[in-house]
Amino acid sequence: MSELPGDLKYTNEHEWLRQEEDGTVTIGITDHAQSALGDLVYVELPEIGLEVEAGGEMAVVESVKAASDVYAPISGEVVAVNEDLADDPEKINADAYGDGWIVRMKPSGDGETMTPDEYQAFLDELED
Amino acid sequence: MGKKTPLYDAHAEAGAKIVDFGGWDMPLHYGSQLEEHHVVRQEAGAFDVSHMTVVDVTGAGALEFLRHLLANDVARLKEAGKALYSCMLNHNGCVIDDLITYYLGPDRYRVVVNAATRDKDIAWINEQAGSFDVDVSERPELAMIAVQGPKARELAANVLAEEWRDKALALKPFYALEADDLFIARTGYTGEDGWEIVMPAEQATDLWNRFVDVGIRPCGLGARDTLRLEAGMNLYGSDMDETISPLEAGLGWTLAWDPEERDFIGRGPLTEMRANKGRHQFAGLLLEGKGVLRDHMRVVVEGVGDGEITSGGFSPTLQRSIAMARIPAGDYDRAQVEVRNKLLDVRVVKMPFVRNGKAQIEI
């Protein structure tokens, strides 16, 4: 398994968050999540402008194997979605922390997140 | 930990993602299920199917026994090596398992049944064999590899002993031959040409490695499932089981009604079901838009009634979602499927979706 990017925060639902300079937060699923799901074949993206509470359903990623909900790790408004995923959902498999980003939110409230070390420890525990 | 095939170490070394399948630790994929799917449609892939159960039925009563046990008629097998797909039914006319029977020679038959149903199949077969002059022998010492794809036979032939190459390549579809230790059958579960090869377990790793060396790519059960779905081939436990008759699972073509006096297990109730015209039909669905159809989703046919998806997924060849479904009887070509509380439009189509690398339906 590759090393976790150090500049991101993580959730126990296997999402990552990146604080952008303009105050928005970019969100995707982790490499662990994409690997567990297998090849992705469809991503259902939210509408721009959607207001979500932390923990609410925000998107759905579907792999050859199964459908999996993506939950909002923080409260806020969806200000951008990765339209490229409509035609190339496998971008998430190829580059989960980069081209495979899913949504960008304008935060209005925090959710529970982990540091890279904490998430790594969380993953290690899952392995056992 | 589950049971392991003789190829388990080879899979682990190749970096396979291992999952449980019917009590066996089997490779799901070796990196990308989609790539493996395309490799089989376009070139050649190798599948470890050693978890499947080989049962040899021999003896003076073998023909008579199998004609009683199976819903298709083994008497149709006249030439040595010929294979027959059949359902094995319970007394209600519903499906205990689906299987392939090979006629090896006078009084010798080989039956290959599913892995997940092994225990109940063996128990059932032995129970039914009681009054017949047959010997039923499971062959757990055998392994099985399927090589599938348009280039599979040509590539795999290089691995065979020279004296068997031409004979193996000359096999017609649904025929098999015994080649020393190997049993080579031109059968499969992908909708592509290819062979299924049975061998002594101790030879499996060597053969597997040699198939890989000649350019046949290891493929996992994930690709096997999307390939068989595109090919419109039923999966036991999803598309039919002990509560479903072959008539409701699109398997009416496997039932041998003639001769009328052949008393196969389940014939009585099946005859009644056939006369009453079932309330269901079995058909393919093609999702018109984006999304993925999954097992057990509800199918809604406006003004007719509801049905259910028995196998659904994404078709890598068609780049659309497809499904097999048990839907209300009737003449219609549009329906809807409930996907996460939304009704999505589907077309009702005749299967298969894909055969020999080509789409069989219009997108």
Side-chain angles (χ1 to χ4, degrees):
Chain A
M1 188 64 58
S2 57
E3 228 169 83
L4 296 171
D7 58 333
L8 306 180
K9 290 221 179 329
Y10 300 87
T11 73
N12 58 9
E13 295 287 350
H14 305 285
E15 288 135 357
W16 57 262
L17 303 82
R18 185 169 59 230
Q19 180 67 55
E20 305 292 350
E21 284 178 8
D22 64 359
T24 62
V25 176
T26 304
I27 294 156
I29 64 169
T30 66
D31 198 51
H32 170 86
Q34 70 78 17
S35 169
L37 282 164
D39 292 326
L40 290 176
V41 294
Y42 176 59
V43 180
E44 193 175 295
L45 295 163
E47 301 277 327
I48 290 173
L50 178 78
E51 300 268 359
V52 277
E53 294 288 317
E57 285 172 24
M58 183 175 65
V60 181
V61 289
E62 299 222 22
S63 74
V64 282
K65 207 164 73 182
S68 179
D69 288 317
V70 180
Y71 302 100
I74 51 173
S75 301
E77 180 191 349
V78 174
V79 293
V81 298
N82 187 353
E83 303 281 2
D84 290 350
L85 297 179
D87 289 327
D88 293 313
E90 65 273 17
K91 282 191 173 188
I92 294 177
N93 295 113
D95 189 9
Y97 301 114
D99 288 347
W101 68 278
I102 298 174
V103 302
R104 196 161 290 145
M105 286 175 70
K106 194 167 123 191
S108 63
D110 284 345
E112 276 186 39
T113 59
M114 292 182 250
T115 65
D117 285 349
E118 286 166 344
Y119 181 59
Q120 185 61 58
F122 177 71
L123 289 180
D124 292 345
E125 216 162 285
L126 289 181
E127 298 272 306
D128 295 339
Chain B
M1 294 300 264
K3 288 180 276 188
K4 292 177 172 52
T5 77
L7 292 167
Y8 178 85
D9 289 340
H11 302 320
E13 269 169 46
K17 184 182 171 90
I18 304 285
V19 293
D20 171 73
F21 181 85
W24 292 81
D25 287 343
M26 299 299 291
L28 181 65
H29 61 73
Y30 300 79
S32 167
Q33 178 177 326
L34 289 176
E35 267 177 48
E36 290 163 23
H37 180 106
H38 293 309
V39 158
V40 173
R41 286 274 177 258
Q42 291 156 17
E43 289 168 40
F47 300 84
D48 177 11
V49 286
S50 304
H51 58 311
M52 295 189 77
T53 307
V54 180
V55 182
D56 285 346
V57 178
T58 55
L63 171 63
E64 198 193 342
F65 170 56
L66 290 171
R67 292 190 80 197
H68 174 62
L69 183 74
L70 303 178
N72 208 339
D73 190 357
V74 171
R76 291 175 176 182
L77 303 175
K78 309 262 192 238
E79 285 175 81
K82 184 84 180 83
L84 184 78
Y85 175 74
S86 180
C87 288
M88 178 164 73
L89 306 179
N90 58 25
H91 294 298
N92 301 324
C94 295
V95 187
I96 293 177
D97 202 4
D98 63 335
L99 50 83
I100 291 183
T101 302
Y102 300 91
Y103 175 50
L104 302 179
D107 305 333
R108 292 171 58 230
Y109 294 85
R110 169 161 288 176
V111 181
V112 179
V113 305
N114 283 304
T117 49
R118 181 232 167 235
D119 293 355
K120 68 165 189 176
D121 286 359
I122 300 278
W124 178 261
I125 293 170
N126 279 319
E127 190 187 323
Q128 305 308 320
S131 57
F132 292 87
D133 179 14
V134 288
D135 179 67
V136 175
S137 305
E138 191 188 350
R139 303 290 304 273
E141 78 282 15
L142 298 177
M144 189 159 154
I145 296 171
V147 292
Q148 302 276 298
K151 295 184 182 161
R153 292 187 310 132
E154 175 196 325
L155 291 172
N158 296 316
V159 169
L160 301 179
E162 206 170 333
E163 56 175 314
W164 293 112
R165 265 177 218 165
D166 291 344
K167 286 191 183 110
L169 285 169
L171 279 175
K172 287 180 281 182
F174 248 65
Y175 277 83
L177 70 87
E178 291 176 279
D180 297 329
D181 284 347
L182 305 185
F183 175 80
I184 304 169
R186 194 170 171 189
T187 51
Y189 194 48
T190 61
E192 296 299 322
D193 202 349
W195 288 332
E196 292 178 304
I197 303 170
V198 178
M199 71 215 68
E202 62 273 15
Q203 293 179 28
T205 303
D206 180 51
L207 261 179
W208 178 265
N209 289 335
R210 288 200 280 159
F211 286 142
V212 173
D213 286 344
V214 296
I216 306 178
R217 282 259 307 263
C219 295
L221 293 185
R224 190 170 159 81
D225 189 49
T226 48
L227 287 159
R228 72 91 197 168
L229 178 60
E230 284 186 349
M233 292 172 163
N234 291 39
L235 172 65
Y236 189 81
S238 293
D239 303 307
M240 70 287 199
D241 57 32
E242 287 182 40
T243 66
I244 300 291
S245 85
L247 295 169
E248 305 163 287
L251 296 174
W253 62 276
T254 70
L255 303 171
W257 297 101
D258 294 322
E260 264 174 54
E261 59 276 17
R262 185 173 70 98
D263 177 29
F264 64 85
I265 297 169
R267 178 161 196 150
L270 207 56
T271 305
E272 254 174 66
M273 285 185 247
R274 188 190 186 201
N276 294 338
K277 287 270 181 218
R279 286 169 294 119
H280 291 106
Q281 57 182 335
F282 198 71
L285 304 179
L286 172 73
L287 183 62
E288 298 275 20
K290 297 223 172 208
V292 186
L293 305 172
R294 303 284 183 186
D295 299 9
H296 307 304
M297 281 180 175
R298 188 165 70 103
V299 183
V300 180
V301 188
E302 213 180 283
V304 183
D306 284 1
E308 186 181 321
I309 287 179
T310 54
S311 291
F314 181 77
S315 160
T317 305
L318 304 177
Q319 291 291 304
R320 290 271 281 278
S321 184
I322 56 172
M324 298 165 88
R326 195 164 293 116
I327 54 180
D331 189 19
Y332 53 88
D333 60 3
R334 304 272 154 182
Q336 291 179 306
V337 174
E338 187 179 325
V339 181
R340 287 189 294 275
N341 302 319
K342 274 182 247 168
L343 288 175
L344 303 184
D345 291 334
V346 295
R347 237 166 70 205
V348 180
V349 298
K350 200 167 168 285
M351 292 185 282
F353 300 95
V354 180
R355 260 299 147 87
N356 296 321
K358 291 191 187 67
Q360 303 294 306
I361 52 166
E362 269 182 55
I363 296 292

